[in-house]
């Protein structure tokens, strides 16, 4: 089923920056369709229109890739919420919806697997469990039609390598991105750049980082990865203002917010301008796949697309503040009197 689009992910990466929008679980939780905590994408079966709509919003905002919402749609997670019987339907339906929307534009469809929480380097039975999980999900995804696979938020290189092996077994291009939740290495002790080098050496088409870190704390790690690998690299940060004191969104705190993650992150949110700046910084650093993860809104994605020089369907409604009654050059005398209060 590979090759639906005229050019697959590797050809697109070779011809320029690819823009990817994710963050479906966070956004659909905010909209009231996914339960925070388990974060299982039950919405795929319960409210497919909500998924379709968000895919469409990201597509209109310029995402080159529609990622099927199968994040955490694996056996173990579904068992936790009592929906194991819905496993196959949820995975198939997620890919079907993603394909349907991707075809409204010129987007690629990515199958998606993630950290399983089952991997344990000290448990000899863990690799088999993880392999079965990935093989099951991706088997259905391939039957429904995907162009490549994104394995993401892997904390362990060992787990990421299992995902890569399963994806390669299906004959599909693999994008494997790690969760950089630790200061400088994976949970199984590989510096992030070294882990990416190994993934690239094992044949991943795209390697990099996604989630957890905001632009400011992800970019320095990306520079190290870019230096170490020859293949395409991906950076999909969360749109939150992480910094040296709080390098991940999980670490964000303020005087009034003891733990911002995952439900009180709004005060730390990046503006569309900050994400546009990130898109340019990432591109200039040599990042091939520029993206955004949990916390993303279509306004971020459109600003990133436009910063990269594109006009996208949603650009029709991009800001024209020169037309705002108070900001326009010929602001009326009646309104101009009140400008001082706006500028106070
Ligand atoms: Zn994320």
């Amino acid at each position: 089923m590979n090759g639906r689009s005229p050019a697959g992910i590797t050809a697109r990466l070779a011809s320029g920056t690819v823009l990817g929008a994710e963050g479906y679980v966070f956004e659909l939780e905010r909209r009231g369709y996914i339960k925070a905590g388990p974060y299982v994408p039950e919405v795929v079966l319960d409210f497919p229109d909500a998924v379709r709509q968000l895919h469409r919003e990201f597509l209109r905002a310029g995402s080159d890739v529609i990622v099927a919402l199968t994040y955490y749609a694996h056996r173990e997670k579904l068992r936790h919420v009592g929906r194991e019987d819905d496993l196959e339907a949820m995975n198939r339906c997620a890919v079907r919806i993603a394909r349907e929307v991707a075809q409204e534009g010129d987007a690629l469809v990515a199958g998606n697997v993630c950290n399983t929480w089952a991997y344990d380097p000290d448990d000899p039975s863990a690799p088999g469990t993880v392999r079965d999980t990935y093989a099951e999900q991706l088997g259905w995804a391939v039957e429904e039609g995907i162009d490549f696979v994104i394995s993401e938020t892997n904390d362990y290189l060992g787990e990421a390598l299992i995902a890569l092996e399963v994806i390669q077994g299906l004959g599909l291009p693999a994008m494997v991105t790690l969760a950089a939740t630790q200061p400088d290495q994976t949970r199984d002790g590989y510096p992030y750049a070294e882990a990416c080098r190994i993934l690239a050496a094992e044949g991943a088409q795209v390697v990099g980082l996604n989630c957890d870190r905001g632009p400011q704390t992800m970019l320095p790690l990306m520079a190290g990865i870019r230096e170490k690998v020859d293949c395409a690299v991906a950076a999909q940060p969360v749109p939150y203002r992480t910094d040296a004191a709080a390098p991940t969104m999980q670490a964000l705190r303020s005087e009034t917010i003891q733990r911002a993650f995952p439900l009180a992150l709004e005060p730390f949110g990046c503006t569309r301008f900050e994400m546009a700046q990130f898109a340019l910084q990432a591109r200039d650093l040599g990042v091939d796949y520029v993206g955004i993860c949990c916390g993303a809104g279509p306004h971020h994605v459109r600003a990133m697309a436009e910063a990269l020089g594109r006009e996208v369907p949603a650009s029709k409604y991009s800001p024209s503040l020169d037309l705002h009654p108070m900001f326009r050059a010929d602001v009326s005398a009646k309104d101009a009197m009140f400008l001082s209060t706006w500028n106070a």
Side-chain angles (χ1 to χ4, degrees):
M1 298 293 280
N2 186 21
R4 175 191 59 79
S5 296
I9 185 67
T10 40
R12 289 194 187 204
L13 286 162
S15 67
T17 309
V18 170
L19 182 62
E22 296 193 38
Y24 287 99
V25 170
F26 261 37
E27 184 57 26
L28 289 165
E29 189 279 332
R30 279 203 287 229
R31 295 184 187 190
Y33 297 107
I34 282 181
K35 185 181 280 294
Y39 286 112
V40 173
E42 299 170 79
V43 59
V44 166
L45 293 180
D46 298 347
F47 295 95
D49 281 345
V51 180
R52 200 171 283 122
Q53 176 63 22
L54 186 53
H55 279 321
R56 192 171 286 135
E57 289 172 20
F58 283 153
L59 179 76
R60 292 186 66 254
S63 185
D64 294 312
V65 176
I66 300 296
V67 184
L69 182 49
T70 54
Y71 195 95
Y72 280 171
H74 58 72
R75 193 170 288 281
E76 188 65 17
K77 275 279 185 184
L78 263 70
R79 193 179 291 142
H80 287 162
V81 296
R83 297 195 68 162
E84 201 182 346
D85 290 347
D86 291 330
L87 181 66
E88 181 174 349
M90 198 178 288
N91 276 274
R92 286 188 183 278
C93 191
V95 176
R96 230 172 279 155
I97 295 171
R99 264 179 45 126
E100 197 183 299
V101 177
Q103 284 166 353
E104 293 174 10
D106 184 31
L108 297 175
V109 182
N112 184 240
V113 290
C114 61
N115 57 316
T116 59
W117 297 96
Y119 187 79
D120 178 350
D122 299 325
D123 176 359
S125 71
T129 307
V130 171
R131 188 171 290 108
D132 290 349
T133 298
Y134 291 153
E136 187 168 55
Q137 280 190 279
L138 292 177
W140 293 319
V142 167
E143 283 178 21
E144 295 297 334
I146 52 176
D147 296 299
F148 71 108
V149 178
I150 298 176
S151 173
E152 62 183 1
T153 55
N154 289 116
D155 299 293
Y156 296 94
L157 172 64
E159 188 183 53
L161 286 167
I162 295 170
L164 176 58
E165 194 186 307
V166 173
I167 299 164
Q168 287 175 322
L170 294 165
L172 288 171
M175 169 165 147
V176 184
T177 52
L178 302 164
T181 50
Q182 308 303 306
D184 46 27
Q185 57 184 24
T186 63
R187 283 193 182 182
D188 41 359
Y190 294 86
Y192 290 115
E194 174 62 8
C196 286
R197 189 197 64 75
I198 294 170
L199 287 162
E202 292 297 319
Q205 277 75 11
V206 191
V207 298
L209 304 175
N210 83 290
C211 211
D212 303 300
R213 288 174 181 254
Q216 221 185 105
T217 55
M218 183 177 281
L219 280 169
L221 289 177
M222 289 309 307
I225 293 168
R226 178 67 290 175
E227 272 181 27
K228 202 120 184 183
V229 305
D230 294 326
C231 70
V233 300
Q236 300 211 83
V238 292
Y240 296 113
R241 293 176 184 153
T242 57
D243 57 21
T248 64
M249 66 174 168
Q250 290 86 349
L252 287 167
R253 308 273 189 282
S254 75
E255 270 175 32
T256 53
I257 304 173
Q258 183 47 34
R259 183 180 288 284
F261 175 82
L263 300 178
L265 286 161
E266 285 87 349
F268 303 98
C270 292
T271 65
R272 64 185 76 190
F273 305 107
E274 290 168 306
M275 291 313 296
Q277 188 190 21
F278 159 74
L280 292 179
Q281 288 173 325
R283 184 199 61 189
D284 294 346
L285 196 65
V287 172
D288 307 274
Y289 190 108
V290 175
I292 184 168
C293 206
C294 302
H299 65 305
H300 291 125
V301 181
R302 179 178 61 188
M304 293 165 75
E306 291 177 350
L308 293 170
R310 303 179 190 181
E311 191 179 334
V312 298
S315 294
K316 179 178 179 189
Y317 304 107
S318 285
S320 293
L321 293 185
D322 53 318
L323 298 179
H324 189 285
M326 292 294 271
F327 299 141
R328 58 195 304 160
D330 59 346
V331 55
S332 74
K334 165 179 74 72
D335 296 326
M337 280 170 53
F338 298 98
L339 257 180
S340 59
T341 59
W342 284 40
N343 295 333

